[in-house]
Amino acid sequence: MSRMSSDKISRPWRRLLKLFTIAALGALRGWVFAAPGPRFTSHLTRHAGTGGLEDIQKMRAREIKKELEDAGVDISDIFDKDDLVERLHQLRSGVIHGTSTSTSADSSDRCDRSGVASEHDGAGADTTEGASSEARSAPGPQSHSSDTSEPSDLMAKCKAMRVKELRTELGQRGISWADALDKDELVERLAGVLQKEALFCSSGRLKPGMVTKITGAELEEELRDSTTPLLLDVYAVWCGPCKMMEPQLANAAKALGNRVRVAKMDSDEETNASSKLRVEGLPTLILFDRKGNVAQRVEGALMEQQIIDLVNSANL
């Protein structure tokens, strides 16, 4: 009888304890998952405003890179623009910190003054100023030929090209492009190269460090070009010494770089031009000065260093 009474008394208390436990757990859950308070919310808002993700995305890759480097942030593990954007956003938001005392506001001010703003693919960026600086630093004499392209024309030409085409053009010239993080940098790099080539050869036919086959008519045009001296190899495909000298001439052209235009002409295909030049033995190397006059002339195959010495001895 006493045991039954005890059970009847304890049951209400058990229910009350169960209800109390459920209420306590509910209150605890609401406290843990409650929305952030005013202080935390303002902190997030402040960081979001400071980061300016959309503004960063409008910047060019090299501007983002410069701001990160100025702030002392390591970017050695970054290889594309998206990662640069994220890293700079973290810096401006205070998620990461650099070692420099310069502020992101200073960097933003520099971007505003330079007027740099582009899409992610770099198609809408104003890069004429970059190409002009490349042209100003380009070595070699100024060309007076009307065929010389203006920097703005070269920029327009490069902007119209696709990224793959830009990389191909740079690669064919032995110029590295792997460190270019967006199209704008590729465009500026190739436009600068084309401008230097225009100063090297107004026709654009002959490239620095390369041997180019030309015709007799093209030779006459090149001799009217006063940009750089011209070294001509008159050869024949059946000539053994000519074949032996071919790689030597190619190496010499690379070593001479933008000092001398290097070309070759097939004597059998251009008999009239060969006769005018009075070519009697093959191969024949003829060095012309900037006025188109013969400065040096040698018959027979030469080695790389002998070809270089031939050019150096002319003091052109």
Side-chain angles (χ1 to χ4, degrees):
M1 181 72 179
S2 60
R3 183 175 180 180
M4 292 178 60
S5 301
S6 175
D7 291 340
K8 289 180 180 180
I9 295 173
S10 61
R11 284 174 186 174
W13 286 104
R14 289 177 182 175
R15 289 178 183 173
L16 183 61
L17 179 61
K18 185 176 181 180
L19 291 173
F20 177 78
T21 302
I22 292 173
L25 290 174
L28 179 62
R29 183 185 304 170
W31 179 79
V32 171
F33 296 100
R39 182 178 179 182
F40 184 70
T41 303
S42 62
H43 178 73
L44 289 178
T45 304
R46 182 171 64 253
H47 279 333
T50 305
L53 182 58
E54 292 184 359
D55 293 336
I56 297 175
Q57 289 173 337
K58 293 178 182 179
M59 296 172 61
R60 295 170 60 189
R62 67 176 184 180
E63 296 295 331
I64 300 175
K65 183 179 178 181
K66 185 177 187 306
E67 182 172 337
L68 289 169
E69 289 175 343
D70 290 345
V73 177
D74 181 25
I75 57 173
S76 59
D77 59 330
I78 294 180
F79 301 97
D80 57 35
K81 184 178 178 182
D82 289 338
D83 291 340
L84 283 175
V85 169
E86 181 181 356
R87 187 69 54 88
L88 181 57
H89 185 241
Q90 292 174 346
L91 175 67
R92 291 186 178 183
S93 301
V95 177
I96 61 175
H97 301 281
T99 59
S100 175
T101 57
S102 61
T103 62
S104 60
D106 293 335
S107 299
S108 299
D109 190 38
R110 286 195 298 270
C111 293
D112 292 339
R113 286 196 298 268
S114 63
V116 177
S118 67
E119 296 295 333
H120 177 70
D121 63 353
D126 180 10
T127 53
T128 305
E129 180 180 353
S132 299
S133 62
E134 287 283 343
R136 286 193 296 269
S137 61
Q142 294 291 330
S143 173
H144 300 290
S145 172
S146 58
D147 295 334
T148 303
S149 300
E150 295 295 329
S152 58
D153 295 336
L154 294 175
M155 289 297 298
K157 176 183 176 181
C158 294
K159 282 183 178 181
M161 298 171 67
R162 303 174 67 178
V163 171
K164 185 177 180 180
E165 295 172 333
L166 293 167
R167 290 173 175 172
T168 300
E169 290 291 332
L170 289 169
Q172 289 176 347
R173 292 165 170 80
I175 298 173
S176 174
W177 50 261
D179 59 329
L181 298 174
D182 59 10
K183 183 179 178 181
D184 284 337
E185 292 192 33
L186 291 171
V187 167
E188 289 189 4
R189 192 165 301 182
L190 181 58
V193 172
L194 294 178
Q195 179 63 15
K196 291 179 180 179
E197 290 181 354
L199 296 174
F200 172 77
C201 175
S202 61
S203 69
R205 186 179 295 113
L206 306 181
K207 314 295 183 184
M210 298 176 62
V211 182
T212 306
K213 182 180 178 181
I214 61 176
T215 65
E218 290 171 340
L219 173 62
E220 292 182 1
E221 181 183 348
E222 294 299 331
L223 291 178
R224 292 193 296 267
D225 182 0
S226 60
T227 53
T228 49
L230 172 65
L231 179 63
L232 177 67
D233 170 30
V234 184
Y235 73 103
V237 294
W238 47 263
C239 171
C242 297
K243 292 182 179 180
M244 183 190 72
M245 194 179 72
E246 184 176 354
Q248 301 296 323
L249 183 63
N251 292 335
K254 290 180 182 179
L256 293 168
N258 60 6
R259 293 175 53 197
V260 178
R261 290 170 290 161
V262 183
K264 63 181 182 179
M265 185 179 69
D266 191 322
S267 60
D268 292 336
E269 294 178 356
E270 307 295 333
T271 55
N272 291 336
S274 298
S275 297
K276 288 181 180 180
L277 295 173
R278 298 179 181 178
V279 175
E280 297 178 356
L282 298 175
T284 294
L285 278 176
I286 305 175
L287 178 63
F288 299 91
D289 61 19
R290 290 187 176 89
K291 295 181 180 180
N293 300 320
V294 177
Q296 296 280 11
R297 182 188 187 100
V298 176
E299 292 183 0
L302 299 179
M303 303 302 288
E304 174 187 347
Q305 190 57 50
Q306 291 176 313
I307 298 173
I308 297 173
D309 292 340
L310 175 70
V311 174
N312 291 336
S313 63
N315 295 321
L316 299 176

